[in-house]
Each structure stands twice: as structure tokens, then as C-alpha cells.
Amino acid sequence: DLELHCHERPHEDETQLRSKARTPTMRCAPSAASSLLPLVLAFAGGAAPAASAADPIPAGTYACPPPGDLPVILSGGPLSSPSPGALASVSLSIPSSGGVCVLSLLSIPVARSYGGREWEVRAGPFAGKVLTPTCDAGAGMCKVVLPADEETLPEGVAYALKSYGRDVVDKRTEAARFLEQTTFGPTLSSIDSLASTGSASSPDFASWVERQMDAAPATGAGL
């Protein structure tokens, strides 16, 4: 903080002071020579050097656990010893299988990767705190910079990775779900008809849509 010592400097000519109605001036001096730097820079049109942001500290490489396994806790570097303004750079593998892997803190999603796609920041409280991950698709890795300060990571709190798989459903269930979304309501016969098409694992939805487009429009005649 800049401490100033000021004293009043009276005008020598009282007549001149009375005629021009001038007020006494103030002369101030900083208590320490080091405190002159911001004033000198401001006078010269510059600015005092700003404090640089903390550089991210490497905090390990992590892979998503298989769906159904316990979460993987991120605990490298500053993640286990938080400090004011600290940032942790973690390397996360891009899952190659289906499903989704979520990086979270206290059940709040921070980032995710799904279907073999690169990691992305999730919308929510961390959207403005976590930068877009930098990824190397060839290596199958993404770097994510995370806040590692004491406010974000109080004692007993940690980032965690957890995977969620896609439930496997049979063809008949897929057919019923599709017809529920595309018609006024499926019947048992329409479900069986659609389930009998396509491959062994999935009905032929595209052909069903084409048949609906080729069908003659109902006019309501005779009602």
C-alpha cells in the first residue's frame, strides 16, 4: 500500500492569494522509494506489471474405468495439496468403447467424453473455470486444466472419473421405442413387423420411414 505524508504549502503573496481566490496546494511524498514505481509508470502512460496467472502443474495421466467399476480418483500434484490460485494439468485418455466417461467433482459434471469423442467441458458451474481441453487424437489423450485451489478442493474432496455404459436392448424393445416416438401409438403387430426387419441387432428404421413416405395419404372419406 502507498503511504503518503502531506503538508500544506502556503502562498507567499497574500494579496495575490486574495485576488485570485486560489487555494493552498498540497505536497505529498511516498514513505518508501519503491512505492514510486506505480506513480512513475502511470505518469509515463504505462502501467504497473500485472501478476501473471499460475502456470498449470502436471498432475498425472488417468484412464476411465470400465462401466460399473468404482470411480478413479485424481490425486496427483496440486490435486492432493491445494493452494491459492493453483491449477492442475491432467491428461485423460479418450475412451475407445461406447458409453460415456464423466469427470466430476462432488457429483457435479466438469467434462465428458463419449462414443470415442474428444473430451469437452460440460455446461454448469465449471464452464467458466475450465478451458477447452487440448487433445491429440492420434495419441488418444486430452489435457484438461483444472482449478486446484483450497476453495475448490477442501479436505476430503477430489475430482473423479466414472464411466457409464449404454444398456443393451433387444430388437423388439428398440422397435417399440421407435414407434412410440414416430406414431400415435404402436400396436403389438406393428412392433413385431418392424422387429422382423433389419439386422440381428437392430430393426431397419430407414426402410420403415420410406414406406411411410410412399404410402397414400388418408383422406378421411366415408367417415
Side-chain angles (χ1 to χ4, degrees), residues 30-209:
S31 58
S34 60
S35 61
L36 283 171
L37 178 60
L39 297 177
V40 172
L41 291 173
F43 180 80
S52 59
D55 292 328
I57 301 174
T61 299
Y62 304 88
C64 294
D69 282 15
L70 293 175
V72 172
I73 304 301
L74 279 61
S75 58
L79 296 177
S80 58
S81 302
S83 59
L87 296 174
S89 175
V90 296
S91 296
L92 305 179
S93 63
I94 301 174
S96 57
S97 60
V100 59
C101 183
V102 179
L103 171 65
S104 61
L105 181 70
L106 292 175
S107 299
I108 301 174
V110 178
R112 69 179 179 181
S113 173
Y114 61 95
R117 292 175 173 83
E118 296 179 351
W119 282 87
E120 62 184 19
V121 179
R122 285 290 309 274
F126 288 91
K129 298 180 180 180
V130 180
L131 299 178
T132 301
T134 56
C135 299
D136 183 347
M141 301 294 293
C142 289
K143 285 188 177 181
V144 184
V145 177
L146 302 171
D149 55 272
E150 296 167 322
E151 182 178 354
T152 303
L153 296 174
E155 187 175 356
V157 175
Y159 293 100
L161 288 172
K162 185 171 177 59
S163 297
Y164 303 88
R166 181 177 182 271
D167 293 334
V168 179
V169 296
D170 57 29
K171 284 183 65 176
R172 200 165 185 278
T173 301
E174 280 201 78
R177 181 184 298 170
F178 175 81
L179 293 173
E180 193 68 51
Q181 297 171 336
T182 56
T183 68
F184 288 105
T187 63
L188 292 178
S189 61
S190 66
I191 293 173
D192 291 337
S193 175
L194 180 58
S196 66
T197 65
S199 65
S201 59
S202 179
D204 187 355
F205 299 123
S207 295
W208 183 93
V209 172

